[in-house]
């Protein structure tokens, strides 16, 4: 943010409160209704979002969408109970009605006066841009056309190209019963391409995408061309792929996006709600060794412009760099306000929600395994026989047991330290806590993903980031077709 740009609190007030005749006096009256009953916490979450998506195939826009949504969620917490109501009508009448609904969980006898409001400034992790209105529609289509041309020019075997462009402008304002007022203006853009190539009757596909909290200007000609080339290269590699082997073996994970395995298999198990309820494989293990020496995992919501970053979380708390595992030792969990209070723990700024119509819960932001001291070439050279997983597709995990299954979108068979040939159909099968103890080498090439992650939990989806260096894991089970 430059000195000439208005603060997020001013932008949010102008977008969410002023047009609806709301001010601090009105918010105070709403909290007065809430605090007439005993409650441990209460907040109002105002949100305005404009989102669009475009899909271009065979040179034509085949589908597109545009949506405007706004509303407010009212939450009251008493003990472990939460009452929640929301409305797409932002007015004092609607807020008062929602507040009266939430009072059902609280007993009579409140805490008295409403605290004076105190603004919590948000650090400028990204510019308060509006991507949706920042570029006209014709330019958005031309951007996708450049992407398609670049993919087709990369190789004559390209048969089909599907380009996707999306953007979102989100403004949030959080008012809490303890007096805290916080706001954020969140841009988000994404550009991706899927290509299908054909050779001798065999068809394969490749994918590449990226984005972050930018405007559409982030997608320069150079980035567009690199995105297209990367997708085509992956598809061509898959043309040469042989059936994947199966069984326990040494597995090397590449840097960047393969950190999605870390996110799913380990990160979810470190979220506070699962650990408060004792349903995580990491429950009651703070201070214990849960990973190999050298393994340090952080969740960092403060990385500038990253897809998973937030200036504040959805409860008005500043995000932070939270060390979860340090040199193999479990140091903490990710917490929202409710679970932190019930566990007697520190709030970590990880209370996230999909929208005003959803409750916040502990969620990851950018989850990263830090780099080590080994050259990635040295790690590959150390593998006598094994798998090198460069990129991942889908996967799933059981939080209670930590068991995971992931499919590799690009993988190579390695013999005597050399990449022999690509393989297809490889799945990685294991247990998250166990896999952490099997890490034997950690590269010095830490990389973040290109900005494509979306995390689902209890029906809610939020943007996230992942990252890791090249790592070697011993005895990981590979499911294959060969």
């Amino acid at each position: 943010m430059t000195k000439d740009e208005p603060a997020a609190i001013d932008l949010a007030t102008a977008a969410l409160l002023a047009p609806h005749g709301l001010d601090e006096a009105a918010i105070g009256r709403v909290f007065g209704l809430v605090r007439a009953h005993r409650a441990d916490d209460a907040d109002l979450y105002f949100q305005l979002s404009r989102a669009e998506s475009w899909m271009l195939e065979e040179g034509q826009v085949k589908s597109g969408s545009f949506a405007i949504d706004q509303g407010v969620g009212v939450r009251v917490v008493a003990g472990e109970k939460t009452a929640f109501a929301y409305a797409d009508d932002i007015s004092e009448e609607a807020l008062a009605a929602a507040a009266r609904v939430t009072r059902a969980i609280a007993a009579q006898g409140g805490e008295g006066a409403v605290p004076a409001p105190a603004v919590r400034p948000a650090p400028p992790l990204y510019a308060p841009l509006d991507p949706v209105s920042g570029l006209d529609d014709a330019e958005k289509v031309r951007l996708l056309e450049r992407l398609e041309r670049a993919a087709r020019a990369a190789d004559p075997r390209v048969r089909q190209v599907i380009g996707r462009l999306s953007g979102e402008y989100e403004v949030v304002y959080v008012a809490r019963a303890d007096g805290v007022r916080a706001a954020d203006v969140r841009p988000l853009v994404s550009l991706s391409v899927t290509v299908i190539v054909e050779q001798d009757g065999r068809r394969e596909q490749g994918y590449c995408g990226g984005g972050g909290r930018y405007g559409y200007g982030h997608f320069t000609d150079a980035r567009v061309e690199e995105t297209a080339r990367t997708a085509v290269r992956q598809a061509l590699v898959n043309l040469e792929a042989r059936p994947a082997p199966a069984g326990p073996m040494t597995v090397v994970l590449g840097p960047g996006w393969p950190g999605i395995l870390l996110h799913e298999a380990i990160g979810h198990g470190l979220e506070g709600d699962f650990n408060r309820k004792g349903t995580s494989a990491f429950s009651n293990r703070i201070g214990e060794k849960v990973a190999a020496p050298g393994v340090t995992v952080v969740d960092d919501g403060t990385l500038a412009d990253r897809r998973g970053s937030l200036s504040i979380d959805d409860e008005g708390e500043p995000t932070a760099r939270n060390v979860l595992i340090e040199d193999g030792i479990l140091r903490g969990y990710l917490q929202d306000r409710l679970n932190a209070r019930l566990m007697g723990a520190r709030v970590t700024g990880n209370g996230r929600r999909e929208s005003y119509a959803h409750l916040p819960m502990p969620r990851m932001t950018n989850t990263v395994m830090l780099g080590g001291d080994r050259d990635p070439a040295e790690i590959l050279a150390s593998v006598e026989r094994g798998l090198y997983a460069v990129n991942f597709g889908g996967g799933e995990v059981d939080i209670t047991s930590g068991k995971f299954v992931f499919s590799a979108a690009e993988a190579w068979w390695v013999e005597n330290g050399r990449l022999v040939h690509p393989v297809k159909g490889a799945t990685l099968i294991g247990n998250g806590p166990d896999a952490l103890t099997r890490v034997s080498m950690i590269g010095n090439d830490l990389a973040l993903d290109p900005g494509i992650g979306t995390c689902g939990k209890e029906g809610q989806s939020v943007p996230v980031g992942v990252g890791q260096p090249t790592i070697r894991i011993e005895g990981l089970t590979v499911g294959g077709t060969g």
Side-chain angles (χ1 to χ4, degrees):
M1 179 182 293
T2 69
K3 63 180 181 180
D4 298 323
E5 291 174 339
I9 197 79
D10 298 324
L11 290 168
T13 299
L16 288 164
L17 302 186
H20 306 284
L22 294 176
D23 55 17
E24 270 301 332
I27 290 175
R29 287 191 290 271
V30 173
F31 279 129
L33 290 172
V34 171
R35 295 174 70 86
H37 292 62
R38 286 196 295 270
D40 294 304
D41 202 0
D43 57 31
L44 311 177
Y45 182 83
F46 299 85
Q47 180 190 33
L48 166 68
S49 68
R50 291 197 295 270
E52 66 177 355
S53 65
W54 302 77
M55 186 181 80
L56 185 125
E57 184 178 0
E58 303 300 331
Q60 298 181 359
V61 175
K62 292 294 181 75
S63 67
S65 66
F66 178 77
I68 299 177
D69 195 16
Q70 67 176 17
V72 58
V74 181
R75 179 180 63 147
V76 179
V77 180
E80 295 187 22
K81 297 179 180 179
T82 297
F84 179 69
Y86 67 90
D88 56 11
D89 173 19
I90 300 179
S91 67
E92 185 173 353
E93 292 77 14
L95 283 168
R100 282 190 286 269
V101 170
T102 62
R103 285 161 50 180
I105 68 162
Q108 286 286 348
E111 300 178 18
V114 177
V119 173
R120 172 171 284 165
L125 298 179
Y126 31 81
L129 303 171
D130 180 358
V132 176
S133 63
L135 194 66
D136 66 48
D137 291 350
E139 283 296 323
K140 294 166 188 173
V141 173
R142 282 194 282 271
L143 175 57
L144 285 169
E145 289 173 339
R146 292 202 305 274
L147 181 65
E148 182 181 44
R149 287 196 301 270
R152 292 191 180 279
D155 194 276
R157 288 168 285 183
V158 173
R159 293 291 179 265
Q160 189 175 5
V161 180
I162 303 171
R164 297 177 180 85
L165 179 69
S166 66
E168 182 177 359
Y169 175 69
E170 182 182 61
V171 183
V172 302
Y173 183 93
V174 181
R176 296 200 327 224
D178 63 2
V180 166
R181 304 290 184 266
D184 201 5
V185 179
R186 302 167 177 171
L188 189 65
V189 296
S190 175
L191 178 71
S192 66
V193 63
T194 300
V195 300
I196 297 175
V197 298
E198 184 176 11
Q199 177 178 286
D200 300 329
R202 176 175 175 175
R203 288 194 161 207
E204 295 291 347
Q205 75 174 31
Y207 169 87
C208 184
R213 298 200 178 277
Y214 310 97
Y216 285 132
H218 175 70
F219 302 121
T220 61
D221 287 346
R223 280 198 173 92
V224 168
E225 291 176 7
E226 179 62 23
T227 298
R229 285 196 301 267
T230 301
V232 172
R233 184 201 62 79
Q234 185 185 105
L236 296 177
V237 165
N238 287 331
L239 276 179
E240 308 299 325
R242 305 178 190 178
M249 64 186 70
T250 298
V251 173
V252 175
L253 302 182
W257 179 244
I260 189 64
L261 189 150
L262 175 79
H263 168 103
E264 294 288 358
I266 298 154
H268 278 298
L270 297 177
E271 292 168 338
D273 47 355
F274 296 125
N275 288 280
R276 177 174 66 85
K277 298 169 185 176
T279 58
S280 167
F282 293 99
S283 295
N284 302 310
R285 299 191 65 188
I286 297 291
E288 293 184 15
K289 181 180 179 181
V290 297
V295 172
T296 295
V297 178
V298 303
D299 185 86
D300 192 347
T302 69
L303 302 175
D305 301 320
R306 300 300 303 179
R307 180 176 170 85
S309 294
L310 298 169
S311 297
I312 58 166
D313 73 0
D314 294 326
E315 297 181 305
E317 295 289 338
T319 55
R321 181 182 185 274
N322 296 297
V323 178
L324 303 175
I325 299 173
E326 183 178 30
D327 196 20
I329 306 299
L330 181 61
R331 296 302 186 192
Y333 305 124
L334 299 175
Q335 302 285 8
D336 63 354
R337 288 171 56 80
L338 183 150
N339 286 281
R341 176 175 56 81
L342 294 175
M343 296 178 72
R346 176 180 59 88
V347 175
T348 62
N350 289 90
R352 304 190 64 185
R353 59 177 104 196
E354 181 177 321
S355 77
Y356 68 88
H358 298 83
L359 279 168
M361 65 182 84
R363 304 292 297 270
M364 286 171 275
T365 57
N366 303 295
T367 309
V368 179
M369 179 187 290
L370 300 188
D373 59 359
R374 310 299 285 266
D375 187 306
E378 175 193 2
I379 296 176
L380 271 177
S382 71
V383 178
E384 186 174 328
R385 289 172 60 86
L387 192 77
Y388 176 43
V390 181
N391 212 339
F392 280 111
E396 58 184 37
V397 63
D398 181 291
I399 301 300
T400 302
S401 66
K403 293 179 180 179
F404 63 80
V405 178
F406 275 87
S407 60
E410 180 184 345
W412 295 75
W413 179 246
V414 182
E415 286 188 11
N416 299 318
R418 294 174 48 251
L419 301 182
V420 179
H421 56 76
V423 297
K424 185 180 180 181
T427 58
L428 303 187
I429 305 167
N431 175 284
D434 177 66
L436 281 181
T437 67
R438 296 174 179 268
V439 174
S440 60
M441 301 177 77
I442 304 173
N444 59 11
D445 58 340
L446 170 63
L448 301 176
D449 79 282
I452 57 175
T454 297
C455 173
K457 178 180 176 181
E458 296 184 18
Q460 295 191 42
S461 296
V462 296
V464 295
V466 299
Q468 68 171 42
T470 298
I471 60 173
R472 173 175 164 153
I473 305 176
E474 307 298 335
L476 197 60
T477 299
V478 174
T481 54

